[in-house]
């Protein structure tokens, strides 16, 4: 199934473009469908979906008369209202759910981590040990659900649907999350992952000293059809 999150993202971009071409402000567009301007911006950002009647009202306000384009956007709105596989894990933060939805539609992810192994390359034991130390003290059941989500995400790598370029600070390799045995298995898993055709793992050694972005981690998601997302 096509990722509903990515479809909402594409639809939102199309609606923002149509609004700007029509020289309609966010406040004016929001008034046309009786929502707040902040809600409209969430629709344009792909964070929430939009129903058919509201979409038709926006397209009317923007002067979009192309019947084929309107049908395409309405179809995207219907797809965007569907639920992805991650929806069954209802306790996930909304931002994480959105990220998973975009990740599932990406063709390549470039990630930079200064503290931990990227989620797509974590072993279950490493994930479990890290999540158990969450400041919000999740229950053992909640931890297992989150580990299951991470394992499901990794199917993108094992199936070859996603290319991953992971750049790590050397500190990631020395921080013994879960203890020596868990870390030894994790390092072995990293080596194994690096041998896959669709995975590249690179390490910035300590001897390099200070470098750009060393104080934060980030991900760049590239898509076959659509702009990249950071």
């Amino acid at each position: 199934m096509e990722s509903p999150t990515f479809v909402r993202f594409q639809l939102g971009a199309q609606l923002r473009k149509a609004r700007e071409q029509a020289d309609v402000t966010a406040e004016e567009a929001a008034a046309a469908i009786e929502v707040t301007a902040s809600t409209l911006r969430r629709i344009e950002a792909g964070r929430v979906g939009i129903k058919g009647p509201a979409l038709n009202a926006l397209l009317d306000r923007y002067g979009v008369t192309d019947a084929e384009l309107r049908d395409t956007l309405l179809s995207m709105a219907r797809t965007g209202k569907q639920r992805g596989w991650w929806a069954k894990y209802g306790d996930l933060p909304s931002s994480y759910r959105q990220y998973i939805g975009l990740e599932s539609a990406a063709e390549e992810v470039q990630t930079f981590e200064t503290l931990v192994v990227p989620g797509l390359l974590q072993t279950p034991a490493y994930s479990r040990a890290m999540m158990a130390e969450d400041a919000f003290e999740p229950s053992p059941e909640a931890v297992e659900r989150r580990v299951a989500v991470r394992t499901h995400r990794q199917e993108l790598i094992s199936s070859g649907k996603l290319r991953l370029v992971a750049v790590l600070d050397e500190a990631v390799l020395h921080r013994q999350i879960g203890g020596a045995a868990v870390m030894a298995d994790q390092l072995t898993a990293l080596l194994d992952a690096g041998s896959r055709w669709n995975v590249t793992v690179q390490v910035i050694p300590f001897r390099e000293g200070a470098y750009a972005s060393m104080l934060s981690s980030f991900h760049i998601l590239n898509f076959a059809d659509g702009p990249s997302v950071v």
Side-chain angles (χ1 to χ4, degrees), residues 11-23 44 62:
L11 175 60
Q14 291 287 337
L15 291 176
R16 183 171 60 252
K17 179 180 177 181
R19 177 174 64 77
E20 292 172 347
Q21 289 178 337
D23 197 24
E44 291 184 345
Y62 301 158

Side-chain angles (χ1 to χ4, degrees), residues 12-63:
Q14 291 287 337
L15 291 176
R16 183 171 60 252
K17 179 180 177 181
R19 177 174 64 77
E20 292 172 347
Q21 289 178 337
D23 197 24
V24 175
T25 67
E27 289 73 18
E28 292 170 338
I33 57 174
E34 299 182 344
V35 299
T36 64
S38 62
T39 296
L40 182 82
R41 293 190 179 93
R42 292 177 67 203
I43 293 171
E44 291 184 345
R47 294 185 180 276
V48 296
I50 183 171
K51 294 182 178 180
L55 176 56
N56 276 319
L58 280 183
L59 297 179
D60 289 343
R61 181 67 178 83
Y62 301 158

Side-chain angles (χ1 to χ4, degrees), residues 196-212:
R196 291 181 175 274
W197 70 269
N198 58 329
V199 177
T200 299
V201 178
Q202 299 174 314
V203 178
I204 300 177
F206 286 145
R207 65 174 178 272
E208 291 301 315
Y211 55 86

Side-chain angles (χ1 to χ4, degrees), residues 108-112 118 163-167 198-202:
E108 180 185 70
V109 171
Q110 297 168 298
T111 182
F112 172 70
R163 294 193 304 273
L164 175 67
V165 179
V167 180
N198 58 329
V199 177
T200 299
V201 178
Q202 299 174 314

Side-chain angles (χ1 to χ4, degrees), residues 35-95:
V35 299
T36 64
S38 62
T39 296
L40 182 82
R41 293 190 179 93
R42 292 177 67 203
I43 293 171
E44 291 184 345
R47 294 185 180 276
V48 296
I50 183 171
K51 294 182 178 180
L55 176 56
N56 276 319
L58 280 183
L59 297 179
D60 289 343
R61 181 67 178 83
Y62 301 158
V64 177
T65 58
D66 186 318
E68 184 176 352
L69 175 59
R70 290 179 72 111
D71 286 344
T72 297
L73 296 179
L74 284 166
S75 177
M76 293 171 71
R78 287 191 294 270
T79 301
K81 297 294 286 185
Q82 296 176 2
R83 292 161 60 90
W85 63 261
W86 51 91
K88 63 183 178 181
Y89 301 96
D91 61 340
L92 298 177
S94 60
S95 58

Side-chain angles (χ1 to χ4, degrees), residues 49-196:
I50 183 171
K51 294 182 178 180
L55 176 56
N56 276 319
L58 280 183
L59 297 179
D60 289 343
R61 181 67 178 83
Y62 301 158
V64 177
T65 58
D66 186 318
E68 184 176 352
L69 175 59
R70 290 179 72 111
D71 286 344
T72 297
L73 296 179
L74 284 166
S75 177
M76 293 171 71
R78 287 191 294 270
T79 301
K81 297 294 286 185
Q82 296 176 2
R83 292 161 60 90
W85 63 261
W86 51 91
K88 63 183 178 181
Y89 301 96
D91 61 340
L92 298 177
S94 60
S95 58
Y96 186 34
R97 292 198 302 270
Q98 184 181 38
Y99 177 81
I100 294 173
L102 292 173
E103 179 186 74
S104 67
E107 66 172 11
E108 180 185 70
V109 171
Q110 297 168 298
T111 182
F112 172 70
E113 288 285 358
T114 61
L115 297 175
V116 297
V117 172
L120 288 173
L121 300 178
Q122 292 178 8
T123 65
Y126 183 98
S127 296
R128 190 173 293 111
M130 185 177 67
M131 293 176 186
E133 298 302 321
D134 191 298
F136 292 100
E137 299 182 347
S139 66
E141 293 77 15
V143 169
E144 289 306 315
R145 285 196 298 271
R146 295 179 190 180
V147 172
V149 170
R150 193 146 296 181
T151 301
H152 198 140
R153 288 173 54 204
Q154 293 173 356
E155 292 178 10
L156 293 169
I157 299 296
S158 59
S159 66
K161 294 180 179 179
L162 180 71
R163 294 193 304 273
L164 175 67
V165 179
V167 180
L168 315 178
D169 189 285
E170 186 178 345
V172 173
L173 307 182
H174 291 278
R175 181 168 292 102
Q176 291 197 13
I177 293 176
V182 169
M183 200 63 202
D185 288 342
Q186 178 62 78
L187 293 177
T188 299
L190 277 178
L191 289 173
D192 291 342
S195 66
R196 291 181 175 274

